[in-house]
Amino acid sequence: MSDRRDFIKKAALGTIGISSVLSCNTASTAIIPTVQPTKKAVKPLIISTWNHGLPANDETWKQLKNGKSAIDAIEAGMRIPEADPKVRSVGYGGFPDREGKVTLDACIMDHNSDCGAVSFLQGIKHPISVAKNVMQNTPHVMLSGDGALQFALSEGFKEENLLTAEAEEDWKKWMEESKYKPVINMENHDTISMLVIDKDGNISGGCTTSGAAWKMHGRVGDSPIIGAGLFLDNEVGGAASTGLGEAVIRTAGSAMVVELMRQGKSPLEACKEIVERIYNKHKNHRDMEYLQVGFIAINKNGEHAGYSLRSGFNYALTDEAEGSRMEDATFKMSWEEWKIN
Ligand code: SD4
């Protein structure tokens, strides 16, 4: 309880975004089957991780306004950072693995809990589109590696080199020492995860990433795994993650956030509890040195939040009233606090 009081005090001091404060409601901890719509939901509404979420949200918004389905709109939005070589953690131009190969993970999920994913996909610029095709054109949820590539080619996708000259240069520099130490809040670029409530109040989402830079060849992160990098239940809400995928997989992060919202927690409370859980489980873990995780979440009321372990995480928010803007996520500890402890 004192923790919660602290949290609210911090909010009052302005360390958390206004919308986050609003979503920190006084919901009881009693278990109820779904989030009850107590007020008019804000819809459509889009949230997505990091600054590269802004142009993605804008495209998704445009597509929704043009009458496209949420899934098509999410795909269109996610293709923007995927194609942008300046975004070094997604798609074309993303940091390669330690063998100099760009390998991509993505997933997409609709309000009927239908979903598609690709992991360890190489040579295809738009893994989010391949994930959508896996969902719509196969009996499966996830295709991986060469199988995912063969499927993409059979669907008409073009194979191309995704390693830009800049990424190759960075890889060569990294090879000089070959130390695996993920860089947290990498220039404010990381996985893009997106959650949407469409005009009918239905929730969908997607994730796409080139994963952790300098990972082992074949490593798959949380982002394409339904329940880890992304999860939603249209009766309740949705959640998605960014950060060190191993920690999110170990804790089934996004599924747990949604489950806590089902039990009556606000998006902020749910994200905070799971980040705390991840922290507690990793306190003495080798990953702790560079552990960063962050979640975004929305519920059926249109309440939304972002919460991360360390400072520096933010998310893009788009709605009718105010257009697109960035919200700072609340966090457990600043970098300074971390160094002191
Ligand atoms: C992953 N969550 O693959 C993703 C993105 C990432 O550091 O690597 N972030 O783990």
Side-chain angles (χ1 to χ4, degrees):
M1 193 63 197
S2 66
D3 193 31
R4 190 174 143 71
R5 250 186 250 121
D6 259 335
F7 188 48
I8 290 168
K9 203 163 86 193
K10 271 195 190 146
L13 288 171
T15 56
I16 69 178
I18 290 167
S19 60
S20 302
V21 179
L22 291 176
S23 66
C24 185
N25 65 23
T26 52
S28 83
T29 51
I31 295 178
I32 48 172
T34 60
V35 172
Q36 305 300 314
T38 52
K39 63 181 185 188
K40 201 168 168 285
V42 178
K43 57 188 183 187
L45 182 135
I46 307 168
I47 57 174
S48 67
T49 53
W50 305 107
N51 288 350
H52 53 206
L54 273 182
N57 280 18
D58 286 344
E59 182 60 31
T60 300
W61 185 263
K62 199 172 93 193
Q63 299 286 335
L64 287 174
K65 288 288 159 184
N66 286 342
K68 286 276 164 42
S69 71
I71 285 298
D72 288 344
I74 289 169
E75 178 197 7
M78 305 289 249
R79 286 173 65 102
I80 304 285
E82 279 182 345
D84 185 347
K86 291 190 295 304
V87 178
R88 307 298 306 283
S89 48
V90 179
Y92 176 62
F95 286 111
D97 65 16
R98 57 189 64 178
E99 293 181 17
K101 306 268 185 346
V102 179
T103 78
L104 306 175
D105 296 337
C107 74
I108 199 158
M109 187 168 193
D110 75 10
H111 65 286
N112 293 316
S113 295
D114 209 0
C115 43
V118 288
S119 60
F120 188 44
L121 174 64
Q122 296 177 66
I124 303 288
K125 197 185 254 178
H126 292 297
I128 194 70
S129 301
V130 187
K132 188 183 94 169
N133 286 20
V134 170
M135 174 172 94
Q136 294 180 341
N137 302 341
T138 81
H140 305 304
V141 165
M142 186 188 286
L143 294 176
S144 189
D146 190 52
L149 173 61
Q150 293 315 319
F151 169 71
L153 296 176
S154 75
E155 293 278 301
F157 289 84
K158 200 171 81 210
E159 195 170 0
E160 51 195 307
N161 175 26
L162 303 181
L163 186 69
T164 57
E166 206 182 351
E168 188 171 7
E169 203 174 298
D170 288 333
W171 170 61
K172 285 184 177 150
K173 231 177 269 157
W174 178 80
M175 291 273 282
E176 288 165 16
E177 287 200 31
S178 303
K179 263 203 205 122
Y180 182 66
K181 191 171 169 185
V183 185
I184 306 178
N185 298 342
M186 210 193 285
E187 299 166 345
N188 194 283
H189 291 312
D190 209 281
T191 299
I192 177 160
S193 303
M194 181 184 281
L195 297 164
V196 168
I197 306 184
D198 67 17
K199 65 176 178 12
D200 302 318
N202 288 321
I203 296 175
S204 314
C207 274
T208 181
T209 187
S210 52
W214 330 130
K215 60 194 175 186
M216 289 176 71
H217 190 60
R219 178 265 192 187
V220 171
D222 58 324
S223 304
I225 299 176
I226 299 294
L230 172 73
F231 190 69
L232 61 92
D233 182 326
N234 199 43
E235 290 179 6
V236 177
S241 70
T242 179
L244 190 71
E246 281 75 6
V248 178
I249 295 172
R250 286 183 193 115
T251 49
S254 294
M256 293 300 158
V257 171
V258 172
E259 213 46 34
L260 289 181
M261 291 195 289
R262 186 194 302 278
Q263 292 173 16
K265 304 246 188 226
S266 72
L268 181 58
E269 290 168 329
C271 291
K272 179 175 186 281
E273 187 165 329
I274 296 309
V275 167
E276 295 277 356
R277 187 179 299 172
I278 292 174
Y279 171 68
N280 287 328
K281 289 200 183 297
H282 287 83
K283 264 195 288 209
N284 301 314
H285 194 280
R286 61 179 183 276
D287 285 355
M288 195 59 213
E289 189 194 348
Y290 45 72
L291 180 63
Q292 167 69 315
V293 288
F295 290 94
I296 53 171
I298 49 171
N299 66 14
K300 288 292 270 188
N301 296 335
E303 293 173 311
H304 54 87
Y307 190 93
S308 57
L309 178 61
R310 323 275 185 115
S311 49
F313 175 41
N314 60 0
Y315 64 104
L317 164 67
T318 305
D319 63 15
E320 191 75 66
E322 293 181 53
S324 293
R325 67 274 189 194
M326 296 306 299
E327 293 276 319
D328 285 331
T330 317
F331 54 86
K332 179 173 171 60
M333 60 175 82
S334 68
W335 285 100
E336 288 71 28
E337 278 173 282
W338 169 244
K339 278 178 207 143
I340 290 163
N341 292 317

